[in-house]
Amino acid sequence: MNTNTNITTSNGLSDTVVTYYDRKLIKNAKPRLVHQRFGQKRQVPKNGGKSVNFRKFEIFPAATTPISEGVTPDGRALDITSVTADLKQYGDYVAGSDLLDLTAIDQVLDETFELLGDQAGLTLDHITRDIIHQGSSVQYANSKAMRNQLTSEDVLTSDEIKKAVRTLKRNKAKPFIRNGRPYYVAIIDQDSAYDLMCDEQWQRVAEYQNAEKIEDGEIGKLFGVVFIETPEAKRFECDPLTAASPSLTVDAYMASTRVMSVLEAITQEDADKLAGRFLSLHNGTESCMVKVSKAVPGIAGEASIQLVGAPAFTPETGCKLYDINCGAENAPVNSTIIFGKDAFGVVDIEGEDAFKTIFKPKGSAGTGDPLDQRWTAGWKASGYTAAILQDLWMVRIEHGFTR
């Protein structure tokens, strides 16, 4: 892990300084690794290929058959499923032209690796977060049927937490254990936490932290769920329908051809992106999902889109088209994910050579740096991924939030 990439260069960092910066990278990355922290960890062996295998163990049923005296029972074989995920490399670097002291801890490099460590942790956290949010176990707040029906009024409540815990228990999700007590973990953002903290049943960390160990970022618990707050919790936001407008307004609709003209302009680039896209059609009282067959570019009032099939209701002038992957009328939607132990797996970034700093001193580029003016500092995850292992052992609650 503490590889000195410049040992053949007289301007290279000393081994002690390299070790310092490697540790600094990990130290600054860890606070960002909220989602990755709770996964089943696997190290990737050096030269071990481009994939990693996680183990998924099936739970044993109760052994209710009495054992006969002197008769050895048949026993049970381990039921292990291997979940394979492809590894990908991630990294970034910065370049500078400052004069550095390569024999000691330099202030410029010190601050540079702080920034790189923060970026590295944020990168791997987002990758983990987005993968585990592909699970099929979803609960929409306020008994809504779809994400695009959620509004800012459909906030996270204690009732939603109780429902999610019931689902996890029904699915026999394995809990984490702390001080001999079982608990599930929820990852929540500051806006959702604000709504949930208004609930009288909410228990703050200050009320129990003297009696038990707590997790970094832990803000409280409810119904056996420990809540970890991070601003990087998943949020589904509007992907604008065109470069100039987040939504489209129906001008006229021809049922025979399923073509609707819109009041907004559509460029050729917009039209290419709209083709094949699912949208949410609203008439003020009801909504339905439609799919765009193609879009015809044009100025406002002359541009149009054609639907794949007939919508659930006939669009009238003034009806709106919104992004299907966010809330009602393009409202942002938060996701609070609650899960048990071994619900997902991640690569252990502290494995050998898995996560490291790379420094190239001025002059190391040869003719690419003929006057020895430039240095670069970067980080690289040699191979990283995450994978869902037990889909039913996690529930994501999608909901609005107070703004």
Side-chain angles (χ1 to χ4, degrees):
M1 175 176 167
N2 299 327
T3 301
N4 185 349
T5 59
N6 311 296
I7 56 175
T8 60
T9 305
S10 59
N11 289 335
L13 299 175
S14 68
D15 289 342
T16 301
V17 177
V18 168
T19 300
Y20 169 81
Y21 287 130
D22 278 345
R23 289 175 177 172
K24 193 172 192 67
L25 182 76
I26 292 284
K27 179 181 177 182
N28 283 277
K30 275 189 171 182
R32 291 289 198 173
L33 294 168
V34 176
H35 295 81
Q36 191 263 1
R37 190 195 317 167
F38 298 100
Q40 179 191 110
K41 292 181 174 59
R42 284 286 179 272
Q43 292 191 2
V44 181
K46 195 172 184 179
N47 303 319
K50 296 182 178 180
S51 63
V52 60
N53 290 324
F54 299 98
R55 296 190 186 99
K56 173 182 174 182
F57 290 86
E58 298 300 328
I59 297 176
F60 294 153
T64 57
T65 302
I67 297 175
S68 301
E69 184 176 353
V71 178
T72 302
D74 293 336
R76 179 174 298 276
L78 283 172
D79 189 355
I80 305 175
T81 302
S82 179
V83 178
T84 302
D86 293 332
L87 294 168
K88 295 182 180 179
Q89 290 190 340
Y90 300 92
D92 203 357
Y93 72 95
V94 294
S97 58
D98 298 68
L99 297 175
L100 300 178
D101 180 359
L102 300 181
T103 62
I105 306 304
D106 186 274
Q107 184 178 0
V108 174
L109 271 185
D110 203 45
E111 295 180 359
T112 297
F113 280 116
E114 279 190 15
L115 294 171
L116 289 170
D118 183 77
Q119 181 201 36
L122 191 66
T123 299
L124 302 189
D125 187 62
H126 279 205
I127 292 166
T128 307
R129 178 199 66 188
D130 292 344
I131 288 175
I132 67 177
H133 271 79
Q134 296 172 11
S136 61
S137 185
V138 58
Q139 174 183 315
Y140 300 106
N142 214 9
S143 299
K144 295 296 177 67
M146 296 177 65
R147 183 187 304 158
N148 67 337
Q149 297 176 357
L150 294 168
T151 71
S152 59
E153 302 297 320
D154 301 315
V155 299
L156 185 65
T157 65
S158 60
D159 283 342
E160 299 296 343
I161 303 301
K162 282 192 289 187
K163 288 179 184 177
V165 170
R166 179 181 63 181
T167 299
L168 291 175
K169 288 182 176 179
R170 281 178 173 173
N171 294 333
K172 300 180 180 179
K174 183 165 62 175
F176 296 89
I177 302 295
R178 186 167 73 185
N179 297 331
R181 298 178 180 178
Y183 68 99
Y184 296 123
V185 170
I187 297 180
I188 188 171
D189 85 340
Q190 63 286 339
D191 297 310
S192 306
Y194 172 85
D195 291 322
L196 193 58
M197 285 178 178
C198 294
D199 197 296
E200 61 182 14
Q201 299 188 72
W202 174 260
Q203 185 179 13
R204 292 172 176 80
V205 167
E207 299 173 21
Y208 64 85
Q209 64 178 353
N210 292 330
E212 59 183 271
K213 177 183 175 182
I214 63 172
E215 301 283 352
D216 291 340
E218 184 173 338
I219 59 171
K221 62 182 180 181
L222 196 61
F223 309 126
V225 177
V226 165
F227 289 82
I228 311 297
E229 183 182 282
T230 170
E232 306 306 326
K234 185 68 174 178
R235 175 171 291 180
F236 300 97
E237 297 188 274
C238 164
D239 182 7
L241 302 194
T242 70
S245 177
S247 61
L248 294 173
T249 308
V250 177
D251 184 24
Y253 176 71
M254 185 170 292
S256 59
T257 57
R258 302 184 305 281
V259 171
M260 60 176 70
S261 58
V262 296
L263 296 178
E264 292 79 12
I266 296 179
T267 66
Q268 183 61 59
E269 185 178 359
D270 295 332
D272 294 339
K273 292 181 179 179
L274 282 168
R277 185 171 173 178
F278 287 95
L279 306 178
S280 180
L281 175 66
H282 287 247
N283 65 3
T285 57
E286 56 184 334
S287 64
C288 67
M289 183 172 64
V290 296
K291 184 178 181 181
V292 179
S293 172
K294 66 176 182 178
V296 178
I299 61 174
E302 295 184 9
S304 65
I305 63 172
Q306 183 177 36
L307 305 182
V308 171
F313 55 83
T314 301
E316 298 178 350
T317 302
C319 285
K320 301 286 289 188
L321 290 160
Y322 298 104
D323 178 19
I324 194 69
N325 293 314
C326 56
E329 300 182 5
N330 284 344
V333 169
N334 275 357
S335 174
T336 297
I337 191 164
I338 306 177
F339 51 86
K341 187 179 180 182
D342 294 333
F344 60 95
V346 296
V347 169
D348 186 357
I349 65 166
E350 295 189 78
E352 182 183 357
D353 206 35
F355 197 50
K356 63 182 179 180
T357 59
I358 300 174
F359 177 74
K360 303 290 186 181
K362 58 186 177 68
S364 61
T367 56
D369 185 18
L371 299 181
D372 292 354
Q373 294 173 299
R374 291 181 293 277
W375 56 265
T376 61
W379 66 273
K380 184 172 75 171
S382 300
Y384 187 79
T385 192
I388 295 174
L389 305 182
Q390 298 281 2
D391 196 11
L392 299 181
W393 287 9
M394 57 178 136
V395 177
R396 70 175 190 270
I397 307 173
E398 297 189 6
H399 54 87
F401 56 92
T402 302
R403 285 177 281 169

